[in-house]
Amino acid sequence: MPYVDIVTALALIQFISFAAKVGSARGKYGIKAPATTGNEIFERHFRVQQNTLEVLIVVIPGLYIFSRYFNPLIAAGVGVIYLAGRQLYAASYVRDPAKRSLGFGLTMLPMMILITGAVIGAVRQLLWP
Amino acid sequence: MPYVDIVTALALIQFISFAAKVGSARGKYGIKAPATTGNEIFERHFRVQQNTLEVLIVVIPGLYIFSRYFNPLIAAGVGVIYLAGRQLYAASYVRDPAKRSLGFGLTMLPMMILITGAVIGAVRQLLWP
Amino acid sequence: MPYVDIVTALALIQFISFAAKVGSARGKYGIKAPATTGNEIFERHFRVQQNTLEVLIVVIPGLYIFSRYFNPLIAAGVGVIYLAGRQLYAASYVRDPAKRSLGFGLTMLPMMILITGAVIGAVRQLLWP
């Protein structure tokens, strides 16, 4: 379990770092709260943060369910792919949103592995307890 | 627990399916990232996804806390109502946002049951361990 | 664990109360779904809710991981600071977004304590099991 906890904490720290970039883009481009539009670069940082929130709601439960039915170390390894993919996604989205596909794919793949594994593990447990 | 895990995984798969519809609406209505406005139908799909994220942050912890104090099978049953209500919410919101109330109510009801049960279960545990 | 469960449930009830205020601001200021802009006060309520979602994804896993490695009662105490800070954040943001810093700091501080504690606890467990 500690491996999964560390990967989860790193994913949350990564998310906080994206949020911090939104905060500093607010200042830099003069986007006053509560506005979330008005400057293209600010909006890119904002969408990176929002999209990361949208994937974390899947990745975190996925990591824990997967690790309960299979190996926590494998779950953590899948989580590391997620962390790298997300870092690539953020960097490429801010540079050019049209080029976000590879980074996005590298966060979708681990999500799919975790969720598929969670379903298979739970169903197997029900059928052959 | 496997019952709750399966319902959680289904809720996450449902959420991913809503996100996929946002992605395809981006292409169909020509809404280029990072924009999230500019076409009414795109915005409906987008709000369905966002609102589902807002309820998942309540439903997932609710399912697990409820199932620890009461019956995991009852928690999973409440989760199935949530899944059906959310499906109705998404379909009716995209058709006409003004008609989203029934689907919304059918996702609020299970949320309320899970959270109320979580509070009652935890307080009871503290008072009569 | 019941202490952490109660704080989690309270944080979710607080979040639902912020969402309810967004709903009533929709009616009051005539912002029809799917729109999320068009009135400054509505947008303040909306950003309070969205920002609370962004911190809950960190706070909830943080509470549980922290309480597994350290003391659940301390985790719950840190969570109570979060609850108070968030209440202050919401009230001051709606009054004047420029004055949200203190409330925001009082929700960032517990987040940092929980995440730092989670990392320290998990790494210590790996090194000295």
Side-chain angles (χ1 to χ4, degrees):
Chain A
M1 205 75 135
Y3 292 107
V4 174
D5 291 336
I6 289 169
V7 167
T8 299
L10 289 178
L12 296 176
I13 291 167
Q14 185 184 49
F15 174 64
I16 292 170
S17 82
F18 296 158
K21 279 176 193 160
V22 175
S24 71
R26 262 198 195 285
K28 196 169 171 186
Y29 303 107
I31 306 297
K32 282 211 176 70
T36 57
T37 53
N39 172 280
E40 167 78 18
I41 304 298
F42 170 81
E43 289 177 35
R44 291 178 190 178
H45 283 291
F46 184 64
R47 284 305 309 153
V48 165
Q49 183 208 7
Q50 296 300 307
N51 187 272
T52 303
L53 178 60
E54 294 162 18
V55 299
L56 280 175
I57 196 85
V58 179
V59 166
I60 296 174
L63 278 168
Y64 285 94
I65 303 175
F66 186 102
S67 77
R68 250 194 294 113
Y69 292 112
F70 298 97
N71 195 318
L73 205 54
I74 296 175
V78 174
V80 169
I81 301 173
Y82 161 82
L83 287 171
R86 210 46 359 204
Q87 208 61 35
L88 177 64
Y89 171 83
S92 54
Y93 197 125
V94 170
R95 231 178 297 122
D96 178 2
K99 302 231 168 87
R100 69 192 189 278
S101 311
L102 177 62
F104 188 71
L106 280 173
T107 55
M108 275 307 283
L109 180 72
M111 274 169 64
M112 289 307 176
I113 294 171
L114 294 172
I115 291 298
T116 308
V119 172
I120 291 172
V123 168
R124 212 174 51 176
Q125 171 87 357
L126 277 183
L127 299 179
W128 304 279
Chain B
M1 205 77 133
Y3 292 107
V4 174
D5 291 336
I6 289 170
V7 167
T8 299
L10 290 177
L12 296 176
I13 291 167
Q14 186 185 49
F15 174 64
I16 292 170
S17 81
F18 295 159
K21 278 176 193 160
V22 175
S24 70
R26 264 199 193 283
K28 197 167 169 187
Y29 303 107
I31 307 297
K32 282 210 176 71
T36 57
T37 53
N39 173 280
E40 167 79 17
I41 303 299
F42 171 81
E43 289 177 36
R44 291 178 189 178
H45 283 291
F46 184 65
R47 285 302 311 152
V48 166
Q49 184 210 4
Q50 296 300 308
N51 187 272
T52 303
L53 178 59
E54 293 161 19
V55 299
L56 281 175
I57 197 83
V58 180
V59 166
I60 296 174
L63 279 168
Y64 286 94
I65 302 175
F66 187 102
S67 77
R68 250 195 294 114
Y69 292 112
F70 298 98
N71 194 318
L73 206 53
I74 295 175
V78 174
V80 168
I81 300 173
Y82 161 81
L83 287 171
R86 215 32 15 196
Q87 208 62 36
L88 178 63
Y89 172 83
S92 53
Y93 197 124
V94 171
R95 231 178 297 121
D96 178 3
K99 303 235 169 84
R100 69 191 191 279
S101 312
L102 177 62
F104 188 71
L106 281 173
T107 56
M108 276 305 284
L109 179 72
M111 274 168 63
M112 289 306 176
I113 294 171
L114 294 173
I115 291 298
T116 309
V119 173
I120 292 171
V123 169
R124 211 175 51 177
Q125 172 87 358
L126 278 183
L127 299 180
W128 304 279
Chain C
M1 206 76 133
Y3 293 106
V4 174
D5 291 336
I6 289 170
V7 168
T8 299
L10 290 178
L12 296 176
I13 291 167
Q14 186 184 48
F15 174 65
I16 293 170
S17 81
F18 295 158
K21 278 174 193 161
V22 175
S24 71
R26 262 198 194 286
K28 196 167 170 187
Y29 303 106
I31 306 298
K32 283 211 176 70
T36 56
T37 54
N39 173 280
E40 167 79 17
I41 304 299
F42 170 81
E43 289 177 36
R44 291 178 189 177
H45 283 291
F46 184 65
R47 285 304 310 153
V48 166
Q49 183 209 6
Q50 296 299 308
N51 187 272
T52 304
L53 178 59
E54 294 161 19
V55 298
L56 281 175
I57 197 84
V58 180
V59 167
I60 296 175
L63 279 169
Y64 285 95
I65 302 175
F66 186 102
S67 77
R68 251 195 293 115
Y69 292 111
F70 298 96
N71 194 317
L73 205 54
I74 296 175
V78 174
V80 168
I81 301 172
Y82 161 82
L83 287 171
R86 207 57 343 213
Q87 207 63 34
L88 177 63
Y89 171 83
S92 53
Y93 196 124
V94 170
R95 231 177 297 122
D96 178 2
K99 303 233 169 85
R100 69 191 190 278
S101 312
L102 177 63
F104 188 71
L106 281 173
T107 55
M108 275 307 283
L109 179 73
M111 273 168 64
M112 289 308 176
I113 294 172
L114 293 173
I115 291 298
T116 308
V119 172
I120 292 171
V123 168
R124 211 174 52 176
Q125 171 87 359
L126 278 183
L127 298 180
W128 305 279

